[in-house]
Amino acid sequence: MSEKEALGDTTLNGDKAKPDSENNVKQEAGDSEKPPGDQCEFGGHEGQRPTRLYKRRWLIVLLFSSYSLCNSFQWIQYGIINNIFMNFYNVDAFTIDWMSMIYMLTYIPFIFPVTWLLDKKGLRVIALVATALNCAGTWIKVASVRPNLFAVTFLGQFCCSFAQVFILGMPSRIASVWFGSGEVSTACSIGVFGNQLGIAIGFLVPPILVPNVEDMDELASHIKVMFYMTAGVATLLFILVVFVFQERPELPPTQAQATARLIPPEQYSYTASILRLLRNKPFILLIITYGLNVGCFYAVGTLLNRMIIVHYPGEEVNAGRIGLTIVIAGMVGSLICGIWLDKTKTYKQTTLAVYFMSLVGMIVYAATLNLGHLWVVFITAGALGFFMTGYLPLGFEFAVELTYPESEGTSSGLLNCSAQVFGIIFTICQGKIIDGFGTLAGNIFLCVFLLIGTIMTGLIKSDLRRQNANMLAKAAAERQMSGQDYGATTLISTPQTPPSQA
């Protein structure tokens, strides 16, 4: 396939870099950069395909991170003031728990058609649908601020949960499509960062905006302010995605991505891809271990208000601050882990170490929750969040390495599907255990599964296929440039006449 054919379906919104007559690329000032280690072009020679890094990649990942933030904020906005919404809508605690769990339940049946749509229509269509659904859900909630309209607010939350299906699996796909091999893990961490920051704000802001007051009219006005603010932000982000979000760069960022682009769409089978992934034993182990870890995080986040109020009555605001501490620490952990992976490529070792420390953090948190000192809970919750939430981008990037050249959206979707299944199971079970036996027993329940996940992570074989593909392409290019072996690039292209004989 020629370069023109490979790039024929590229969508650009203003910053094109066009190939010239000798298969090189004219670099526009201030628009694109040479990716270290990935840039290698030859006049009239297609052995090593041209690659570019565009500055717009940072705008794309930050815009994605922003609308992911807006969506994830709403996941926990009911649960963190569980007792207040129970009073306003006159429902029980388990019903309000479902306002968080609906995010998990919706994901499970819809992830496979959404992943298929991502592969067929691309990033831009998925981004438009995600922000449109999220925007619609926020405005439905604005219309639900009356004690007899719980069904309406649940409908709004369902729309937002449906939007999440179009968001959660995107970070690794955006990183692969837009970023160089030396920065994909950092880019993925930034994508996950938005989701985590949204959860952090969801822990912090609702207890401040919606105080626990007895007057129903005053309480309704506080809830309406929160819903209007969310709707305004969601609407702005939808408009920005319409006018700014771009499908992909004209030229790929890496040789691995260039090779992936050459696969004709008619040769790609979504069903066959799923079956190949399900036969990949290391990836199956990762699906289970990722689900166990992230499912524990979902349970802790959903039930945090109930756990704190049991031991520290009247501390709704501090419960939110503890949730904020968990997620902020996790954001720091995510960024550090992403940068570490880009520098060292030690995927399995890092994943195993972070998983083990998540177990240690959960044990310490469980043991100190009932000591009667909130400052201790802040510290132990922060340590737990640093590792448990910091694990999220590690799982995404390790999955892409184990499954290359399969679609990043498909592998991420399977990971997140596992997380939602375990999240629902753990949330329901831990909630029942807390009601019957107390918070310590509920947290020990989670510790057992984190121990199982740690052991299983140690059994995952580290088969870094994407890194191997990039290393083979670079080695072939170096041999070709030195003139020692012009046939070395046959692994990635058809044989070419050496420049000296052209």
Side-chain angles (χ1 to χ4, degrees), residues 39-81:
Q39 176 72 22
C40 187
E41 302 172 0
F42 309 99
H45 198 286
E46 294 183 294
Q48 180 81 351
R49 292 178 174 82
T51 60
R52 287 288 187 209
L53 287 183
Y54 295 82
K55 288 185 177 179
R56 176 173 282 222
R57 70 192 188 279
W58 298 110
L59 178 61
I60 297 296
V61 75
L62 288 175
L63 181 55
F64 165 77
S65 192
S66 298
Y67 72 74
S68 177
L69 179 156
C70 182
N71 180 262
S72 62
F73 164 79
Q74 297 172 81
W75 167 61
I76 203 64
Q77 71 177 158
Y78 293 91
I80 196 59
I81 46 176

Side-chain angles (χ1 to χ4, degrees), residues 475-502:
E478 290 171 0
R479 288 194 296 270
Q480 187 181 55
M481 288 292 287
S482 66
Q484 294 175 358
D485 183 4
Y486 286 104
T489 58
T490 54
L491 290 174
I492 59 172
S493 69
T494 57
Q496 303 290 322
T497 304
S500 61
Q501 300 175 17

Side-chain angles (χ1 to χ4, degrees), residues 78-87 89-101 150 302-303 305-306 427 431-432 434-435:
Y78 293 91
I80 196 59
I81 46 176
N82 185 294
N83 55 322
I84 296 174
F85 275 110
M86 285 170 57
N87 181 41
Y89 285 113
N90 194 28
V91 294
D92 60 20
F94 187 65
T95 302
I96 297 299
D97 287 345
W98 270 108
M99 299 299 282
S100 297
M101 289 192 288
F150 178 77
T302 301
L303 301 172
N305 172 270
R306 291 170 62 181
T427 301
K432 297 298 182 182
I434 289 173
D435 291 340

